[in-house]
Amino acid sequence: MWKEFFKSKEWEKGFKLGKKKMKDLLEWAKRGQKEGVNLEALEILEFYGLPMAPYRVVKSQDEVYQVAEELGYPLVLKAVTSKVIHKEDAGAVALVSSKEMVARAYPSVLGEVASRMPWLSIMGVLVQQKVEGDKKHEIGLERSKKKAFPFRWITRLLKRDGEEGESRDIEVKDANDLAMHTPQEEEWRDIYQGIWALWLQYPQIRRLELDVICGPAPPKVVDAKIFFFQF
């Protein structure tokens, strides 16, 4: 049974908080007929125990200066929009390492989205600590039916120099498959424990995407998206 993955009392407590937040998110998404969420995905995964790159959401240029000083440079600025988008394609991401760069990047990020995708509402800007690492793991889960199993599990490794590393595409048929393929290294086991708890508890999730930066420091989630089946 997949619940054997989640025996720790500490994890159970975290899952209870995560389940409450997820219930609220599903109700909110259903009311708004949301196909997917981005910022809310980060919040949910944090409640499921995943290590996150520290971030805050701001809604003014004065506020972004204050948050930047609190989090410390370098930082990544990302536009928060009413619909999930590929931010790099929309020019909605900027790397900054000083207050002067923030002064230029904040209006630029908002302006790029407004000009390229004027139909979107801009909800603010996510200010996130830049995670230093030499590898990015892209993790994707996808299923065609509202059931825990089977599902497709895709991972892709990108190195700092742009070189693509190992990739794999697995069909996970049952709990035995899940146990066999789940990484056993402690830092990754904790990440996947939270991912599996969310994914298997909520078959309403059609697709889950995560970007994780690691090496030499422990892995941290820098981006996440959750897409739902049609309500």
Side-chain angles (χ1 to χ4, degrees):
M1 185 67 179
W2 61 264
K3 289 183 179 178
E4 293 175 3
F5 281 97
F6 319 124
K7 292 179 179 177
S8 164
K9 290 182 179 179
E10 183 179 343
W11 279 100
E12 276 299 317
K13 182 179 179 182
F15 293 159
K16 287 179 181 178
L17 292 172
K19 287 168 74 174
K20 182 182 184 305
K21 289 289 181 180
M22 190 62 194
K23 180 182 178 182
D24 293 342
L25 175 60
L26 285 170
E27 291 176 353
W28 172 80
K30 185 176 181 179
R31 288 197 302 272
Q33 291 296 300
K34 296 283 186 181
E35 177 186 354
V37 292
N38 189 182
L39 175 62
E40 295 81 1
L42 287 174
E43 295 170 347
I44 288 293
L45 288 167
E46 192 167 10
F47 274 100
Y48 273 85
L50 274 70
M52 316 296 293
Y55 69 90
R56 295 264 298 279
V57 176
V58 301
K59 297 187 177 181
S60 72
Q61 191 148 352
D62 288 340
E63 192 180 3
V64 76
Y65 293 141
Q66 179 182 345
V67 169
E69 292 300 322
E70 292 173 359
L71 292 178
Y73 297 101
L75 296 164
V76 181
L77 306 187
K78 306 177 184 180
V80 179
T81 57
S82 55
K83 186 176 181 180
V84 176
I85 60 173
H86 292 287
K87 294 180 173 57
E88 289 82 0
D89 296 341
V93 177
L95 175 64
V96 298
S97 56
S98 67
K99 185 175 181 179
E100 292 72 25
M101 291 183 73
V102 171
R104 295 191 298 270
Y106 181 83
S108 175
V109 163
L110 297 178
E112 286 293 331
V113 176
S115 63
R116 297 190 195 190
M117 299 180 175
W119 57 89
L120 292 178
S121 297
I122 300 173
M123 320 304 290
V125 170
L126 184 144
V127 184
Q128 185 180 62
Q129 277 187 2
K130 182 179 184 298
V131 178
E132 298 297 338
D134 52 20
K135 299 173 186 173
K136 180 172 81 166
H137 291 259
E138 296 179 348
I139 301 170
L141 307 175
E142 189 170 3
R143 54 186 155 211
S144 59
K145 297 180 180 179
K146 292 182 181 181
K147 295 181 178 181
F149 298 101
F151 63 87
R152 188 179 174 197
W153 176 12
I154 306 163
T155 57
R156 181 169 172 244
L157 174 63
L158 299 174
K159 300 180 181 179
R160 177 183 287 178
D161 58 9
E163 180 183 351
E164 187 166 345
E166 180 183 0
S167 299
R168 65 178 186 174
D169 188 338
I170 301 168
E171 183 183 9
V172 181
K173 298 177 181 178
D174 52 32
N176 290 330
D177 269 357
L178 193 64
M180 180 172 63
H181 294 294
T182 297
Q184 294 305 304
E185 298 90 346
E186 184 175 355
E187 57 191 16
W188 285 103
R189 187 180 67 235
D190 289 348
I191 286 176
Y192 274 106
Q193 191 174 37
I195 291 173
W196 297 146
L198 175 64
W199 180 253
L200 296 173
Q201 287 171 351
Y202 290 96
Q204 299 97 319
I205 300 173
R206 177 175 58 86
R207 192 163 85 245
L208 174 62
E209 300 176 4
L210 296 93
D211 289 345
V212 183
I213 303 293
C214 67
K220 288 188 177 180
V221 177
V222 297
D223 196 20
K225 301 178 181 70
I226 292 175
F227 297 90
F228 305 107
F229 283 100
Q230 186 173 3
F231 289 104

